[in-house]
Amino acid sequence: MENQEKDKRVFFTNEDWDKLALYLIGNNARYRENIIIPRIMGPIKIKTREEKIIEGAVESCAFKTVMSCVLGYGLGAAIGLFSASVNPSVAIGDTKQPTAREVLREMKGTMVSYAKNFAMVGAVFSAVECTIESYRGKSDWRNGTYAGGVTGGIIGLRAGIKAGIFGAAGFAVFSTIIDYYMHF
């Protein structure tokens, strides 16, 4: 009988276990004052909530796509300006000298054409790469290769299946080479 009474005795009640857990683990809320950072690691700055929000917005697929589109437009306009200035399309048999207005209109047309094309390629590539990276959960050279293949295929499909296949292969190889060069 005495053994049974000893077995029924409880050393810790549920409240005691809760207090012990709170003492050892703490509550679920974390406060900055409780974080201990070793001095060996050097000065560490903890990001504020606003910094985390801005970082999340900048790293989003939508922001990357819009920025690629805008920067592609600017780069395309610059290349279009250079292209129009190097190779003006003036008729050879025409004896009349083109006016400045005609030359500027032609340059504007070339710049806008190049800018639209570069903006489209940049936006499609960036959107596809970011989507693939989000899906795979990795950031490596394969994301750029896959995105280059998809982008080249989409652009090439406007000219047919064969052009789509060659476009996919060419853009994938180009993306891989550029990615390799940028990382090494």
Side-chain angles (χ1 to χ4, degrees), residues 65-81 107-123:
T65 301
V66 169
M67 281 307 297
S68 294
C69 185
V70 169
L71 292 175
Y73 192 89
L75 179 65
I79 291 174
L81 177 64
M107 290 176 82
K108 178 186 172 191
T110 305
M111 286 173 59
V112 169
S113 174
Y114 273 81
K116 285 180 184 177
N117 288 332
F118 273 71
M120 188 218 26
V121 169

Side-chain angles (χ1 to χ4, degrees), residues 59-62 64-65 125-135:
E59 290 179 359
S60 70
C61 289
K64 288 179 181 180
T65 301
F125 181 82
S126 180
V128 170
E129 183 183 32
C130 191
T131 304
I132 289 172
E133 185 175 324
S134 298
Y135 177 76

Side-chain angles (χ1 to χ4, degrees), residues 1-182:
M1 197 80 167
E2 248 177 75
N3 286 339
Q4 289 176 352
E5 284 182 25
K6 286 183 181 178
D7 292 339
K8 288 183 181 179
R9 277 191 287 171
V10 177
F11 291 109
F12 291 108
T13 63
N14 288 338
E15 293 82 21
D16 293 335
W17 284 112
D18 289 342
K19 288 178 185 175
L20 182 64
L22 281 174
Y23 177 75
L24 294 175
I25 298 171
N27 58 7
N28 291 335
R30 293 193 177 189
Y31 301 102
R32 242 179 231 196
E33 299 86 50
N34 297 342
I35 296 175
I36 298 172
I37 300 171
R39 290 186 186 266
I40 298 171
M41 301 189 69
I44 295 176
K45 185 178 178 206
I46 298 172
K47 294 179 184 174
T48 64
R49 186 168 99 30
E50 292 81 14
E51 288 174 329
K52 290 178 184 175
I53 289 171
I54 290 175
E55 187 177 274
V58 170
E59 290 179 359
S60 70
C61 289
F63 183 82
K64 288 179 181 180
T65 301
V66 169
M67 281 307 297
S68 294
C69 185
V70 169
L71 292 175
Y73 192 89
L75 179 65
I79 291 174
L81 177 64
F82 176 75
S83 174
S85 65
V86 170
N87 188 16
S89 59
V90 177
I92 296 173
D94 197 7
T95 57
K96 159 183 130 130
Q97 185 77 11
T99 64
R101 177 171 283 189
E102 291 172 345
V103 171
L104 290 175
R105 269 195 202 131
E106 175 197 336
M107 290 176 82
K108 178 186 172 191
T110 305
M111 286 173 59
V112 169
S113 174
Y114 273 81
K116 285 180 184 177
N117 288 332
F118 273 71
M120 188 218 26
V121 169
V124 170
F125 181 82
S126 180
V128 170
E129 183 183 32
C130 191
T131 304
I132 289 172
E133 185 175 324
S134 298
Y135 177 76
R136 290 184 67 223
K138 294 180 183 178
S139 180
D140 59 2
W141 63 272
R142 290 181 183 173
N143 295 336
T145 303
Y146 296 151
V150 171
T151 304
I154 289 171
I155 293 169
L157 275 178
R158 295 190 296 180
I161 298 291
K162 191 174 183 181
I165 292 170
F166 280 112
F171 212 108
V173 168
F174 179 74
S175 298
T176 306
I177 291 170
I178 293 298
D179 204 26
Y180 178 80
Y181 176 76
M182 295 302 264

